Amino acid sequence: MYRGREYTVDLVPKIKIEMVLADNLVTPPSNAIVQRCRDGKNWRRKIFLSKVDEAIRIRIMKRGVAAL
């Protein structure tokens, strides 16, 4: 009920996947996601790729790809 009117909110369920990969490992998973999600039902699917400057595994003090 909003301002005296009743309405239904039909939100589309969303999934967010976050992965941190070495540069040489990015293409196969992103291609697999694109192929799986191209079902023609929803055109609002997106993939955002961004750079991570540094990764640090604190417990063992590994940096970079070794921390992944």
Side-chain angles (χ1 to χ4, degrees), residues 2-60:
Y2 179 71
R3 293 189 178 190
R5 292 189 178 185
E6 189 173 324
Y7 65 97
T8 303
V9 178
D10 295 325
L11 299 175
V12 178
K14 306 236 188 278
I15 295 173
K16 182 177 182 179
I17 300 170
E18 294 185 21
M19 296 185 285
V20 178
L21 303 168
D23 289 339
N24 61 336
L25 299 176
V26 171
T27 304
S30 60
N31 287 343
I33 292 168
V34 167
Q35 291 303 314
R36 181 66 177 109
C37 291
R38 293 189 74 201
D39 60 5
K41 293 181 183 176
N42 188 345
W43 54 270
R44 295 182 183 153
R45 295 178 176 146
K46 297 174 181 77
I47 292 179
F48 299 97
L49 301 175
S50 60
K51 297 281 184 186
V52 173
D53 292 330
E54 183 72 42
I56 303 170
R57 184 172 289 187
I58 295 171
R59 185 174 53 87
I60 56 176

